[in-house]
Amino acid sequence: MKAVVMAGGEGTRLRPMTANQPKPLLPIINRPIMEHVLRLLKRHGFTETVVTVQFLAALIRNYFGDGDELGMTLHYATEEVPLGTAGSVKNAADKLRDDRFLVISGDALTDIDLTDMLRFHRENRALVTIGLKRVPNPLEFGIIIVDDSGRIQRFLEKPTWGQVFSDTVNTGIYIMEPSVLDEIAPGQSVDWSSDIFPRLLEGGCRLFGYVAEGYWEDVGTHESYLKAQADVLEGKVKVDFDAFELAPGVWAAEGASVDPEAVLKGPLYIGDYAKVEAGAELREYTVLGSNAVVKEGAFLHRAVVSDNVYVGPAAHLRGCVIGKNTDVMTGARIEENAVVGDECVIEAETYVSSGVKIYPFKTIEAGTVVNTSVIWESRGQRSLFGPRGVSGLVNVEITPELCVRLASAYATTLRKGDTVVTSRDASRAARALKRAVISALNSSAINVVDLEASALPVARFNTSRENVRGGIAVRTTAGDPQSVDIVFMDETGADLSQAAQRKLERVFSRQEYRRAFPGEIAELTFPARAVDTYARELLSCIDMSGVKDTEMKVVVDCAGGTSSLVLPNLLGRAGVDVLTVNNRLDDASPTETLAERRRDLQRLAELVASARAAFGVRFDPVGERVSLVDEMGQLISEERALLVVLDLVAAERRGGRVALPVTTTRVAEMVCRFHGVQVDWTATSLDTLTRAARHPDTIFAGDGKGGFIVPEFAPTVDGLAVFLRLLGLVARTRLSLSQIDARIPEAKLLKRTVPTPWAHKGAVMRSVVEAAEGHRLDTTDGVRVVEDDGSWALVLPDPAEAVTHLWAEGHDMDTAQALLERWAHVVEHAAGSR
């Protein structure tokens, strides 16, 4: 039986360590990761192996040769272009036709019992057996669900937290029958997890998952690379390394020279012919490569130092990685998570800050402080994007320098010569930061159409115009005047999808930005009639019939925001009597606190009642979301406002579809069913809601947080559009908002938030799925457990904070409360809170 070692990966997340060598050659305790994999194969009887190579293939061939030194026979299958995980194995098909074979990654450290996995495969007569492992953070892996016998039920590749329903992930170790190769078209880029396995599962093939007990670490990030080194030193993984134990946990290879006056605190490893001088201090989890030299007074802790590195006197290395043939001179200091590439010179008294990456062949002059300013890792965020885009404190977390890097990364994802729309709210901070954004875009050969201060719906509308590829809006964070949000949009004017966000994050984290040549610096223009065009197009799409006949009066609060720039164009043509308040730009207070918002809503309610208006509307400062007050002067909550507008739309249209997030009360389903309308339940992220709103049959969408989508105009959240639509609906229905609200049943929906450490989130969701056995499950977003009587509970991990959200709805409050308590107990127990 043969094995296939996949060794074609570039390891882009590990740059600069992989800038000039393939990821499988990265050393773990001075041996390439792939060598540890080959030795594991040999221990389990796999002596004939095919190695698939693509990126810097010659380096892998030159290092391993024909495998004779390892007592193996190695064959190589070279890809001219990347073919994907399945395509690369198909490329080696002529060497695999005889018998079943094993596929394993050449860049993951493991000691999984391959012999027992083969036994499992044979006993289950499987077509494919996939090695599985339970991990604390399953986001970067493919999640797999198996039944009690191990048969695979479902795949999900690289989920968001809202899609996590287990912590059992695909290790990339497979045992396959040769007939599987017939499922792969030759010469095409095809992946096992996203293409072949789902197709086989749909066809009813016998696919099994083997949950391994051994060690497995996907060495895909700098953190996991350091962890793998530490785990070997602690004995958590069974690998071979040639060394003898000088003292407990202190391992030295052949020819290593350690002065008795050196301070050594294991576990640590000193490579062959390395030299450690008197007065040097090596502490836990330090790894020295072959021929490395550590001079007197140097201090190393959790530092991984490659071959032929010189560490000068009094140098200080902590939690960093140093590439081959690099010199770290006297008194240099390199901090946590910093990575220095091969053949660099770090001159005396240099300070390399935490998280800095220095690419190969660079010289850092003496005394230089290398500091790349604040980046998203250093701010403690687990991802660059939050629920409002990229957010943070002005000039602390969100600085002009950061804006330049963000905009440069965004520009790098586009083509030279593309056009991007920029806009801002009324604040001075947004104005200053937007200028940095524009500078970076132009410098990256991206043309900019700047709307200056603009309502966000107007910016989204102009971004969706022909020949525009995207948009960036800078706005003050709602309720926090000290913070800003940077909103990135795609060519439809919607927030970037999660796939596009990940692409931008990859470019940003590598800091590999495109720059234009002097003759390619792009244009900056200011459109003259952007608001007029928006207003004209909006009025042409919204049914305003009946409004003028009713002589309706409404009260509108602009909240001192940019909606005040648009409303005069709309209200003058709508034929409605309007009383407006806060109808001016306030650059000193571009947002409001919760107390100020409540005060202004109370004032709006009083004005509506005293003016005998049909209703009142308060826009948020960027004109995207609305709050409603009925004709009695009563504030309608955001949840009830969604139901009221939904009822109005559904009653008039009598058909079609509406898109709502899964957290919405199922009273919405009752309203829709009564009017013959279908509900499409979506994930809670705004990009999935806007994507659902693009369906040609969709007549309405809302997020339950004051955000509404009017699909006949645009598939994006737009407070101005829903205001006009509400005018027409109220005018034609001849019912007041309070009457409509009164005819809708009350929801029995409760919510709770449970603190959940990041490392426990996957285990929490697995525990929920196991506890829900026998119930109907909905995994649209999180896990929704439906009882026989229709009551339900939803468990949803927060994508940005260490918490899990729970919702429960029943026929009465007691049922909802009991459900919430039951599932909160499951979550708390799995999260270690109890």
Side-chain angles (χ1 to χ4, degrees), residues 379-391:
R379 286 190 283 128
Q381 293 179 229
R382 300 187 70 86
S383 62
L384 180 60
F385 284 86
R388 302 177 304 274
V390 181
S391 305

Side-chain angles (χ1 to χ4, degrees), residues 18 99 132 211 220 275 292 297 332 334 359 430 540 561 582 648 663 683 689 788:
T18 54
D99 195 2
L132 306 179
V211 181
K275 182 179 181 181
I334 303 177
Y359 274 60
S540 70
N582 293 321
L648 279 166
T663 52
L689 188 69
D788 292 337

Side-chain angles (χ1 to χ4, degrees), residues 272-290:
D272 50 307
Y273 301 102
K275 182 179 181 181
V276 181
E277 293 189 353
E281 182 175 356
L282 274 59
R283 295 184 62 102
E284 297 87 352
Y285 309 123
T286 290
V287 176
L288 287 188
S290 301

